[in-house]
């Protein structure tokens, strides 16, 4: 069956069964492999993307339910030759970048969270990250990055793309 998506501001059409996870569509059909799949069961957050204005686990979302709202993946947070998103900048400067499996999902969760929470405290950031698991390193520098990004001058999303 054909599904029409909007991914990172571009129209995309895929011919897959309606129950195909959005993460598979992104990675295998649209070649957007910044979205990672670790558990595949909605428990780790590595597959997090933005659907409309909320962060979702794309491994749990059937593609048939992703047509109505725009999808943003980590590749769409900033233009290829443009400045990084403030969360990405802060993840670098605060040494919050960890492995390639968990980091994209953390970035997507935090960028979505900060769009609706202008001045969070550390507890709110940790709560926002409850769906994003790191099995090995810890969250201290990631929380620092979120607070640093929140303190940076907000940049309207349309100006970053
Ligand atoms: S891969 Fe989707 S939550 Fe783990
Ligand atoms: S799971 Fe990515 S650094 Fe631990």
């Amino acid at each position: 069956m054909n599904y029409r998506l909007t991914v990172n501001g571009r129209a995309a059409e895929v011919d897959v069964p309606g129950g195909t996870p959005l993460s598979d569509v992104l990675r295998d059909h649209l070649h957007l492999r910044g979205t990672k799949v670790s558990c595949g069961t909605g428990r780790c957050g590595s597959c997090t993307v933005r659907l409309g204005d909320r962060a979702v686990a794309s491994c749990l979302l059937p593609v048939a339910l992703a047509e109505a709202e725009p999808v943003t993946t980590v590749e769409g947070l900033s233009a290829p030759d443009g400045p990084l998103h403030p969360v990405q900048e802060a993840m670098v400067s605060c040494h919050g970048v960890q492995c390639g499996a968990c980091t994209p999902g953390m970035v997507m969760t935090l960028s979505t969270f900060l769009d609706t929470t202008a001045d969070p405290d550390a507890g709110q950031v940790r709560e926002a990250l409850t769906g994003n698991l790191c099995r090995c390193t810890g969250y201290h520098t990631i929380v620092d990055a979120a607070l640093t990004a929140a303190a940076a001058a907000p940049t309207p999303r349309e100006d970053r793309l």
Side-chain angles (χ1 to χ4, degrees):
M1 185 146 179
N2 268 13
Y3 293 95
R4 295 177 185 213
L5 307 173
T6 302
V7 180
N8 298 335
R10 294 187 178 175
E13 193 167 336
V14 291
D15 184 8
V16 294
T20 306
L22 177 63
S23 54
D24 287 3
V25 169
L26 295 171
R27 289 178 53 82
D28 300 339
H29 296 264
L30 303 182
H31 310 295
L32 293 168
R33 299 201 173 101
T35 299
K36 300 298 189 288
V37 176
S38 296
C39 71
T41 58
R43 298 177 66 181
C44 74
S46 64
C47 65
T48 302
V49 300
R50 189 184 300 209
L51 181 70
D53 60 2
R54 57 197 194 285
V56 300
S58 61
C59 71
L60 288 185
L61 188 76
V63 65
L65 299 182
E67 282 191 308
E69 296 180 272
V71 176
T72 305
T73 71
V74 71
E75 290 92 342
L77 269 191
S78 56
D81 56 352
L84 293 175
H85 184 283
V87 168
Q88 293 171 313
E89 288 278 9
M91 287 286 271
V92 173
S93 64
C94 297
H95 307 289
V97 175
Q98 304 189 95
C99 80
C102 66
T103 297
M106 302 253 187
V107 166
M108 293 312 295
T109 293
L110 290 175
S111 60
T112 305
F113 168 66
L114 292 180
D115 273 357
T116 55
T117 310
D119 187 23
D121 60 29
Q124 289 173 299
V125 172
R126 287 183 179 275
E127 191 176 334
L129 285 170
T130 51
N132 292 83
L133 301 184
C134 168
R135 301 166 191 80
C136 39
T137 311
Y139 296 85
H140 187 74
T141 56
I142 300 168
V143 173
D144 276 352
L147 297 175
T148 298
T155 304
R157 186 167 185 276
E158 55 272 19
D159 291 351
R160 298 196 303 262
L161 297 178

